[in-house]
Amino acid sequence: MAFQPIKFYQTGTFTVGNRLLPPETRSVQSNMRRTNSLNSGHRACQGCGEALGARYAIDAAMEATANQLVAANATGCLEVFSTPYPETSWQIPWIHSLFGNAAAVATGIAAALKVKGRTDVRVIAQGGDGGTTDIGFGCLSGMFERNDDVLYICYDNEAYMNTGVQRSSATPPAARTATTMAVGEQPGNAFGQGKNVPAIAMAHGIPYVATATVGELRDLEYKVKRAMTFRGARYLHIFVPCPLGWGHASDASIRIGRLVKETGLFPVFEAEQGEVVSVSKIRKRVPVEEYLKPQRRFAHLFSPTPRVDVIARIQAIADRNIRKFGLLQEAA
Ligand SMILES: Cc1ncc(C[n+]2csc(CCOP(=O)(O)OP(=O)(O)O)c2C)c(N)n1
Ligand code: SF4
């Protein structure tokens, strides 16, 4: 038989891959001593990007803080599927806030710890995009403005999933939700609305702002650990596909989390003191159709009449991000 070199794909590719890496570069998740912060047995849907993102993020934060961490959690899927009273999947000190005040509750915890001289204990606030970009936005802006010592993590599944997929100010244009139906001349969510909270966080000039996607889990872990090296207000915005609300296969969450970055629709970057300091370049540019097609929330753009006009407007958003953030690799 002819000699065939064995190909190992685990390193240097899109895969999470750990076993072939030197121990110091392996992911937190590959470590048998990881916290399992969000443990098995919770009730998230199969393939839930939010559950995946939270587990990676909080395990990474636990490692970065030598397990000295408290988390406040806004109402939403993450809280509901993880803590049906009297059960809990959390293996860390964890408190459920109201829907709109996770940032304020976390600020209070940080202030109390400061009074007690416990600067070793760090605080995280977390919530969905509705709890962050809409109802919790005032508390969040206050936390930024006071530069409270809290890392706020937004798990962005682009709608209010826990209550039945209603539009939020993070819902993308043309997406169908329960409140932006696929009817009329311009079906789905309107263009030209919504909030770019990473940009708004940067405008507060806080020490650290970053975006990440569950399509690149090692990068997500890195950003959490990097955030924990700063004191003061920090913001991490994680793109988390939702099979139920977006209407994609439950095994497609990670692929969709990669595609969104490869289209340019979701720029993955870091910013310090309001200035972008690094961007994750697109590895293989793909047209937005490839990202939109597997999701039933965009099905009305492809049938019965292909809406090339609407898809072109979405492509224009991706192209603008690519220009603005310099997302393409420079030619060698
Ligand atoms: C003041 C208030 N209004 C409404 C609700 C009902 N409610 C609970 S969770 C939720 C939506 C959560 O959406 P999001 O923050 O995007 O998180 P997701 O469930 O998508 O993860 C709503 C409207 C509430 N709990 N409190
Ligand atoms: S509805 Fe979406 S966010 Fe909520 S548990 Fe299911 S997959 Fe996760």
Side-chain angles (χ1 to χ4, degrees), residues 42-52 76-78 80-81 155 157 159-165 240-246 248 253:
H42 60 69
R43 300 170 186 195
C45 308
Q46 192 177 34
C48 173
E50 188 163 82
L52 180 67
C77 269
L78 183 60
V80 169
F81 72 62
Y155 300 101
N157 54 25
Y160 292 34
M161 295 313 179
N162 178 54
T163 40
V165 196
V240 292
C242 165
L244 182 140
W246 298 8
H248 60 75
S253 295

Side-chain angles (χ1 to χ4, degrees), residues 8 14 35 43 61 108 123 146 156 169 177 226 265 296 300 311 321:
F8 290 114
F14 287 136
T35 317
R43 300 170 186 195
V123 185
R146 293 184 303 267
D156 183 7
S169 57
T177 67
R226 175 88 183 128
L265 281 174
R296 282 202 301 280
H300 53 280
I311 294 171
N321 285 339

Side-chain angles (χ1 to χ4, degrees), residues 170-227:
T171 301
R176 183 197 66 196
T177 67
T179 48
T180 56
M181 300 302 280
V183 294
E185 275 293 291
Q186 296 299 327
N189 193 34
F191 278 79
Q193 297 181 353
K195 289 180 210 167
N196 181 341
V197 173
I200 297 171
M202 282 171 64
H204 288 74
I206 58 175
Y208 186 74
V209 174
T211 61
T213 147
V214 290
E216 296 192 355
L217 289 161
R218 301 174 68 81
D219 178 69
L220 190 164
E221 285 185 346
Y222 156 76
K223 289 193 171 141
V224 172
K225 290 205 248 176
R226 175 88 183 128

Side-chain angles (χ1 to χ4, degrees), residues 3-159:
F3 169 77
Q4 282 191 315
I6 299 170
K7 288 182 183 163
F8 290 114
Y9 291 103
Q10 283 92 338
T11 59
T13 69
F14 287 136
T15 53
V16 174
N18 301 303
R19 285 167 296 157
L20 300 178
L21 295 172
E24 66 278 9
T25 53
R26 289 181 196 164
S27 66
V28 174
Q29 215 46 229
S30 72
N31 188 334
M32 292 293 282
R33 289 204 297 272
R34 64 183 183 261
T35 317
N36 295 320
S37 325
L38 180 59
N39 217 344
S40 57
H42 60 69
R43 300 170 186 195
C45 308
Q46 192 177 34
C48 173
E50 188 163 82
L52 180 67
R55 181 182 162 96
Y56 268 72
I58 305 303
D59 275 359
M62 283 291 276
E63 186 181 279
T65 59
N67 300 340
Q68 298 301 305
L69 191 74
V70 179
N73 206 135
T75 310
C77 269
L78 183 60
E79 164 263 329
V80 169
F81 72 62
S82 65
T83 55
Y85 182 81
E87 298 161 8
T88 181
S89 284
W90 293 101
Q91 308 295 307
I92 58 167
W94 180 95
I95 183 170
H96 173 209
S97 70
L98 296 177
F99 185 25
N101 71 350
V105 169
T107 289
I109 297 168
L113 288 166
K114 190 175 172 192
V115 168
K116 288 170 92 59
R118 292 298 306 269
T119 48
D120 56 322
V121 184
R122 309 299 302 277
V123 185
I124 279 185
Q126 53 183 356
D129 50 287
T132 304
T133 72
D134 292 335
I135 190 169
F137 187 68
C139 290
L140 182 64
S141 176
M143 186 200 109
F144 289 160
E145 186 271 325
R146 293 184 303 267
N147 201 23
D148 296 325
D149 190 20
V150 174
L151 168 62
Y152 190 104
I153 302 179
C154 171
Y155 300 101
D156 183 7
N157 54 25
E158 302 189 330

